[in-house]
């Protein structure tokens, strides 16, 4: 009955060696005492950590010495603890959004890549309800072997993208919208039902997951 | 306890006068004896009738004299009883499909319009997974003040269409597809969540309904 | 990694020329910094903007000079930035609600039309659970070629309306109600399943969308 | 391991004494050997039985001597085994349908009542998409203290009915329709969300249940 | 564009004469200005009003003179404006709950009845997970011709009740519970699927609706 | 490209040693050539096999020599290949059904147990809509430390059972019923939401799973 | 109309004698006055009570003398009123979580057991996305005849566990996660669909229920 | 009104040049006359075609000369028209299934790859309910940079796989199973909710889509 927060944790600092992706902490719903303990263990191990879906309230409840070591982005609600790798090399990954409201997801992807030292290019607010916005930039997008597409509501963009580019297309449905769009289930299902061959999907709002899939792809491309 | 099929019916032959759309019989699930009785009443009233979602089995169980008076199309499963009006005038309505499999819906729309004497143009298999298919024909489509768009699976076409044309866009989700696309719920929700302003929707596979909405629009345009 | 809010935006001020509907900003879920940037771009372009689903909190966080230029309605949560067009001409559009609680949707429709310079008439709280409320006013409603019907819960009103008027019927399900009615899914599905021919639907609570569909209809009627 | 069909049954011939409703056998999904055994027990007990949702195939597999004792109605798929009570007395129950396709449900209700010796009146195909159909007959319907309303698709009829009559309104959603209407879930939810106060609901297609609720009401009215 | 709250309302003070149930105001989601206007109209008409699902916040925003005239119950969130009828006569209605948490629904039913001058008896917390709680009180419950049963979670109580009493059983699913029980959908569907013949259902948490159904039943019993 | 059925299989004949439950073959959806290959491997290994959800068509397509070695029960659609263990010892497991239609599930449980040499007692058709049926037999049921309860529709029986017995209660929702009950989802959710503490659940119609859970329990009781 | 909180309660202090599990109070959604009354009755009866899903706000609103007698754990939101039994004997129950975020559920289970005087061992954060975490500890887990597995998101752990241990496996889906994982429905369904034979399930987040099922199992093992 | 099947088609033989994936025909739901026309066009263009989800009935209705040119596999329901490319080169893609029943999906993937001239290795029936089956073969699987994992029911395999391999993991949920598993929705959602970082998903049963995603990956690896 006398458990400590430490008893509830089994961190996986060897994950990077195993699958090429570093341990990340999904903060949403974690108890404050668990987060504090996790950061203490990271500090003891001299490891860096990616913190995802961390609320401002969670950031603020941390001891000042812990909070000071976190690079926090409020839009994506990501925090980076410790010294991230330098972001270097040519950009192989285009991150595209259908609307400005999708930025909280696209930034999670961009920051996850950056945390692993991987650069990316952003193409924002190019949804196909105004088709010219995409056509204006498609040639630039096509130069990237990997395209991450973030789209909510009807999520028509991944289908159009899949028909225009020959590289890897990783689609992330977002929870943007109201009525039948609220929560992202419609966007998710629309992408799963895409008429474009070979477009793959992650969970709703899972910019982190799309970035990790991109890291796996870079690895088999021999880049990482 | 001794009911006859006639007791179960209240036909509405005055509907055309009231709302400009003629009585149509939704056949799916109707008992054979009810269908036979409906056609007998139509004959007695010297009326024509549009029969929707009529299965081949229902057509075949009819008495030969009734069956002989029906112009039946197996793809749309529509039957026209009696003498339809002549189809005349300039075409104001473009009927567009995303894929060949959507033809059963687009034909229901086209035949409903024809039954009311209204012509339409067809633009088939122009889904946006191969964007050039739509762009090749968009100028021609734009000439029609009313566009009926039939699309299943991810139903990305209505969104792209809505951003390209300024006229009325009536979208019909279709039940084409499997997995999350099966039944058309995904297509329906994707269209409802469209980023294109002013695109409206009917029930899944409801080509009849889209045609009737087009008839209402023609009426307020002063054409019917 | 050093992105600015401006990088996340691609405004579409040419939309009016393209499809007859002006750029509108869907505010729900947008980051504060993005909203501020959007209004700055609008100001620089000397454009007006329609702001939909804007919360009071979003209005209040704006810089005073921006806030002062917004005509805000708290019930519909719409804001109009800049100088709207004059509302002129004969009223062609009736906006009807089933209940008083639907006013937040009907006002969004009315204000969207007004923003485009288009007048509308309101017929409020005439749901068919008290049928006399509708029958008392139906003759007046029928004078409008376009009827926008906002209804939640069981949404029986659009079906009755569709059988009484011959013009265009645009139905908007609302999220009013509790239990199975909560969120508006029941109202949406009831309208999609309507027995009245040619009634079309928008997303739940999408008064903006219904207004845009009305604008498209006016355009093909030769009025805009 | 050596079980007989008899081991799987516990019939409730005392139910009528307990709650005023006789034992009825729900046939759908029952194994043939179970149905045969049930009828054998009924015969031994000299009881009558109401058989609901009995397919033609189930009827046909019965031994000829059993089959001969069943009064079977193919539309409602109900069978009455043994000698039913005489149907006598004044009609207190109106059974109303929105469309002809709902007849399979309304007949199940009517036959369940008749099996208990209770008469009913039928008002068929009076759905509110053609409002005059209901208004023509509402005065006659109002004379019945109990109204059973069967409606599928959007099921707008029970709401209108509930606002017009002061007696008991028992609504039965039906599985009629396609797309979002298929299966009756939309009709069910629309009725549950009704704006009319005091309308109550049964399971989809449950004409039997509505009849039993009517029997309970008659009992508290002092009629049975 | 210059609408007043009055324009959004069409009150139905004649409802009592029409269907025996008085006008009630569903407050949830209504704008403050609409509620104030409704009470002003009620005052002008010298009518009483039942206010359902009224939050404490809504009560508190009212002008003091309006607030002072409301008898408010925080558990059921009901308010009674004006002078209610005296509650008289023999109790014909048992209101039964499965658990203490269902009290917010059972009280809405009891207060709706009381508002119409109708008494009721309460049998609380007698869910069938502890069967003796029901069996101890069933004889007393059986003395009432009408039983309103409020139950959440698995909602097994209405089925057991339906097998024990011969009178009218009106079941109200409640939103009590978590996981699959949250929101009351499971309770609703369990009751709809009941094995007990003739149990009818209202929307989730709709104690008001069950009371109105009881009023309809009393009326056909000749009591009101 | 030249694969044989054998390439698609990895049988687990060591499962019994590992977890005390023997390999069973889920036949539904398996290709004919795969089933034939599985039985060939079983024969070569001199193993017995339990075949679940095997259709009559699957049984009939087998080579006669394979078919002859299968003890097939059409109600539960189970087959036993090879020589099953003798069923011995005192009965520790009561298998209870709410209705006769649940027999296809309860038999799957009973046959799975028998295949492992474990006896069980059956208590059929004792659903709580007729409470006396259960109360008549509850003392006998209580003598068994493990109770498997199979119930569809509203599935009220497991809740009542859980409040009456102190042993292990394993509930199996069944797909019996129509409307909201069809498919068993309502029964499943009702049991998951049970008010009775410590009742656990398997997948819909999973009599096999409940039997395996009983086998696990017997093992920790020291009986197997 | 003049009800007191006491009228709404029927506590079941005899439950322990009947089914071996003590009365527990589900606090979520209970009115403050009901909670206070329940504790007063417990005090009068000199009983202890387990309070589940009790919010901090509910704890804080209690009178100080009541609050002082509650041992409250904020992570599991459980309170223990009165003097719990001593926790003694050998540990037979392993409580396993897939992630740290599942601790709120596993603690509810552990505290429920402790309240009944039953010890348990904890194995935290051993989800199979890092398989070594489980394999490192599986031998220790296997020493327990009963394993409670708490897992959210994809809930793959119960399936792997079920294939590794021969004892009783009680799985609890948790509501941890976002997108399709939010609310725990995905975890629940994944466990119900498990390929591992004999794994059983409780409601989402129902650590209490799993503990009670363990208590039932201990009882039939002859330990309690 | 006089349309021919040809009018309904817009084939995309240039797709391979555009995105590296050849035109494939989704046959399910296509009218017979459309399939015949498609093959005629392919023949005229001297193109090969991949036919997916083609039923045996569709194959059999083709004119003999067309049928003779199709290499048909009944398990995956795929047909290859015309001369496929030679399958050459080192195998980079492992196709893994959780169970034998998933073979219909894994074969669709393998045949799609083969149609494009790409080899693959198969690892069948290695689901994690018997963990040794996977661990026995994981070293071999790891040698492939791309792993396609097909799994139904609880779909736990992709999560375990994602934690063991560092390459690209493409997961395909399958519709195998019954109860909550039926149709594959549970498998789909479980994979989307995976705890393993960077696992991506296709539509249910979409072996074709996974193969196309693998083709896109090979392309960016410089292999195609």
């Amino acid at each position: 009955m006398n458990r400590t927060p430490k008893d509830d944790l089994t961190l996986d600092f060897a994950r990077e060696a195993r699958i090429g992706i570093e341990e990340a902490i999904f903060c949403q719903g974690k108890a404050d005492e668990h987060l504090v303990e996790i950061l203490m263990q990271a500090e003891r191990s001299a490891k860096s950590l990616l913190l995802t879906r961390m609320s401002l309230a969670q950031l603020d409840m941390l001891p000042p010495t812990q909070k000071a070591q976190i690079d926090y982005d409020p839009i994506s609600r990501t925090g980076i603890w410790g010294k991230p790798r330098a972001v270097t090399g040519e950009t192989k990954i285009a991150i595209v959004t259908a609307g400005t409201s999708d930025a909280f997801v696209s930034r999670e992807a961009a920051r996850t890549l950056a945390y692993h030292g991987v650069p990316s290019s952003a193409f924002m607010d190019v949804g196909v309800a105004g088709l010219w916005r995409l056509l204006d930039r498609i040639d630039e997008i096509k130069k990237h072997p990997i395209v991450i597409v973030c789209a909510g509501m009807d999520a028509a963009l991944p289908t159009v993208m899949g028909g225009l580019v020959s590289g890897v297309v990783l689609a992330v449905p977002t929870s943007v919208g109201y009525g039948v769009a609220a929560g992202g289930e419609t966007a998710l299902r629309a992408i799963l039902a895409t008429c474009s061959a070979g477009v793959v999907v992650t969970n709703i709002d899972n910019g982190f997951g799309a970035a990790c899939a991109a890291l796996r792809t870079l690895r088999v491309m021999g880049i990482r």
Side-chain angles (χ1 to χ4, degrees), chain A:
Chain A
M1 292 292 284
N2 295 312
R3 303 185 55 77
T4 68
K6 187 161 172 261
D7 297 326
D8 294 339
L9 299 175
T10 313
L11 289 181
D12 185 6
F13 288 125
R15 191 197 283 176
E16 206 281 335
R18 213 168 61 249
I19 62 167
I21 301 170
E22 302 210 33
E23 173 77 320
I25 304 299
F26 171 67
C27 300
Q28 178 184 307
K30 282 219 168 44
D32 290 351
E33 62 204 81
H34 288 149
L35 282 180
V36 171
E37 171 63 29
I38 286 166
L39 293 179
M40 283 169 58
Q41 291 194 23
E43 185 147 39
R44 277 196 296 272
S45 313
K47 293 285 182 181
S48 63
L49 269 184
L50 177 63
L51 303 155
T52 65
R53 294 182 84 93
M54 179 185 235
S55 68
L56 255 176
Q58 286 179 316
L59 181 73
D60 287 343
M61 72 80 209
L62 291 176
T65 52
Q66 288 193 332
K67 185 173 168 182
Q69 296 175 72
I70 294 178
D71 160 25
Y72 185 76
D73 170 53
I75 287 190
S76 61
R77 289 163 304 152
T78 46
I80 295 175
W81 161 277
K83 194 156 169 285
R85 304 192 193 172
V87 176
T88 57
E90 197 187 348
T91 303
K92 300 291 183 193
I93 302 171
I95 303 183
V96 184
T97 68
T100 305
S101 304
D102 302 316
F104 75 103
V105 177
S106 65
R107 285 201 188 188
E108 188 183 74
R111 278 173 62 86
T112 298
L113 291 171
Y115 175 72
H116 286 85
V118 172
S120 60
S121 317
F123 301 83
M124 306 295 285
D125 203 11
V126 298
V128 291
L131 193 59
W132 59 269
R133 298 188 300 184
L134 176 62
L135 298 183
D136 275 5
R137 309 199 66 183
I138 189 65
D139 288 339
E140 205 181 342
I141 293 170
K142 275 184 175 172
K143 291 176 188 155
H144 301 78
I146 302 171
V147 183
I148 294 175
V149 190
C150 307
M153 301 177 81
D154 53 351
L157 179 57
T159 288
V160 175
M161 186 70 76
L164 294 174
V165 310
S166 62
V168 169
V169 180
L170 305 166
V172 190
T174 71
S175 56
V176 170
Y178 63 97
V180 300
E185 188 75 20
T186 292
L188 168 64
R189 299 176 91 75
I191 302 172
L192 284 164
T194 182
C195 302
S196 279
V199 172
V200 288
V201 192
T202 68
N203 192 4
I204 297 161
D205 291 342
N206 193 1
F208 167 74
C212 292
L215 291 173
R216 289 178 180 270
T217 308
L218 289 179
R219 194 174 180 102
V220 303
M221 290 169 69
I223 292 176
R224 294 185 68 239

